[in-house]
């Protein structure tokens, strides 16, 4: 009995050591794989939804699938805009949206995504233009910004380009230098569109990167 009791105690002791080593190893793996912020601190557990050069279904699409519908209507992501003159801004989250959302004709119009309790580390973003021909109100000058209070904004990417001057054009842009999670992502038009006015018009926006689980 004394031998068995001694063996049992030794086995429990060894199992405890093995369990601790496994926990430490798991922490090391998570620490190495999880993106870090600019301060170097781990930003919680993250889910990668990365652009692979062909897949155009990103974070919005993933969250839409999880709730089986539009992320705004299901209160997962709040989508708002500076103004609207045609359709509603949250409709750009629908992959099958055949129309387009348009702002009013005013300078510096924007559309904003509030990811609430699922901030994202943005690495790439996709913009899809509307069905109207080149030379119409296609986006020409813009910047993508991130914020955690909707007041102070960090520019993640900035463009002045003719690449979107085409009907139903999809283009993906890189901002992979960013390693900070942001609750709010905003696209703001910084100059006239290809028609020469200030109407912001889009049919889809998609984001790629990491969803941070806080």
């Amino acid at each position: 009995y004394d031998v068995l009791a001694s063996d049992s105690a030794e086995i429990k002791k060894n199992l405890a050591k093995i369990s601790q080593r496994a926990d430490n190893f798991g922490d090391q793996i998570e620490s190495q794989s999880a993106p870090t912020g600019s301060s170097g601190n781990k930003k919680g557990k993250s889910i990668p939804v990365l652009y692979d050069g062909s897949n155009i279904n990103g974070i919005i699409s993933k969250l839409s699938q999880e709730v089986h519908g539009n992320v705004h209507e299901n209160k997962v992501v709040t989508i708002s805009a500076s103004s609207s003159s045609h359709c509603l801004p949250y409709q750009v989250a629908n992959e099958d949206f055949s129309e387009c959302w348009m702002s009013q004709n005013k300078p510096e119009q924007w559309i904003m995504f509030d990811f609430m309790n699922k901030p994202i580390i943005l690495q790439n973003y996709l913009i899809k233009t509307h069905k109207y021909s080149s030379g119409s109100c296609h986006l020409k000058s813009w910047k993508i910004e991130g914020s955690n209070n909707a007041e102070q904004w960090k520019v993640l990417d900035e463009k002045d380009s003719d690449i979107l001057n085409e009907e139903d054009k999809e283009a993906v842009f890189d901002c992979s230098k960013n390693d900070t999670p942001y609750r709010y992502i905003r696209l703001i038009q910084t100059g006239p569109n290809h028609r020469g006015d200030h109407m912001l018009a889009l049919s889809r926006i998609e984001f790629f990167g990491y969803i941070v689980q806080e």
Side-chain angles (χ1 to χ4, degrees):
Y1 175 81
D2 291 340
V3 173
L4 288 174
S6 176
D7 287 347
S8 178
E10 187 66 22
I11 290 170
K12 289 181 180 179
K13 184 178 179 181
N14 289 335
L15 285 173
K17 288 181 180 179
I18 293 170
S19 178
Q20 182 62 45
R21 288 174 185 167
D23 289 343
N24 292 340
F25 181 72
D27 290 342
Q28 290 173 6
I29 293 298
E30 183 179 358
S31 176
Q32 293 170 5
S33 61
T36 57
S38 56
S39 63
N41 296 324
K42 188 171 67 175
K43 298 298 183 180
K45 183 179 179 182
S46 60
I47 300 172
V49 187
L50 302 174
Y51 178 63
D52 64 4
S54 60
N55 179 28
I56 59 171
N57 293 324
I59 292 172
I60 295 294
S61 178
K62 177 178 175 58
L63 296 176
S64 298
Q65 291 171 10
E66 290 178 357
V67 297
H68 306 289
N70 183 280
V71 290
H72 177 89
E73 293 178 308
N74 285 276
K75 298 179 172 52
V76 176
V77 180
T78 299
I79 304 174
S80 57
S82 50
S83 66
S84 293
S85 65
H86 180 70
C87 293
L88 298 170
Y90 71 83
Q91 291 176 283
V92 302
N94 295 334
E95 295 176 29
D96 58 352
F97 186 40
S98 60
E99 267 289 345
C100 65
W101 162 76
M102 294 182 179
S103 74
Q104 295 179 6
N105 185 10
K106 298 178 180 179
E108 298 188 339
Q109 294 296 285
W110 51 261
I111 182 168
M112 183 174 72
F113 297 76
D114 176 3
F115 288 89
M116 295 186 279
N117 64 340
K118 297 180 185 294
I120 69 169
I121 300 175
L122 186 62
Q123 301 279 283
N124 298 89
Y125 63 97
L126 174 147
I127 296 175
K128 182 180 178 182
T129 66
H130 48 73
K131 61 186 178 182
Y132 301 105
S133 62
S134 60
S136 60
C137 54
H138 292 302
L139 189 60
K140 185 178 188 298
S141 304
W142 72 92
K143 57 186 175 181
I144 292 285
E145 301 176 317
S147 175
N148 283 309
N149 59 14
E151 294 180 359
Q152 298 170 308
W153 294 91
K154 171 72 173 179
V155 177
L156 307 180
D157 190 37
E158 193 165 8
K159 289 283 186 292
D160 187 345
S161 171
D162 295 330
I163 192 171
L164 295 175
N165 188 23
E166 190 176 328
E167 61 183 283
D168 292 325
K169 176 67 179 288
E170 291 179 342
V172 177
F173 304 92
D174 178 82
C175 48
S176 56
K177 292 182 179 180
N178 172 55
D179 64 356
T180 302
Y182 290 109
R183 172 178 170 173
Y184 302 93
I185 300 293
R186 180 174 71 173
L187 181 150
I188 180 168
Q189 185 168 245
T190 56
N193 57 37
H194 280 90
R195 191 171 61 192
D197 61 37
H198 296 279
M199 181 175 286
L200 174 57
L202 306 165
S203 65
R204 188 183 177 199
I205 301 180
E206 182 59 281
F207 303 106
F208 305 87
Y210 298 87
I211 304 171
V212 178
Q213 305 286 4
E214 295 190 325

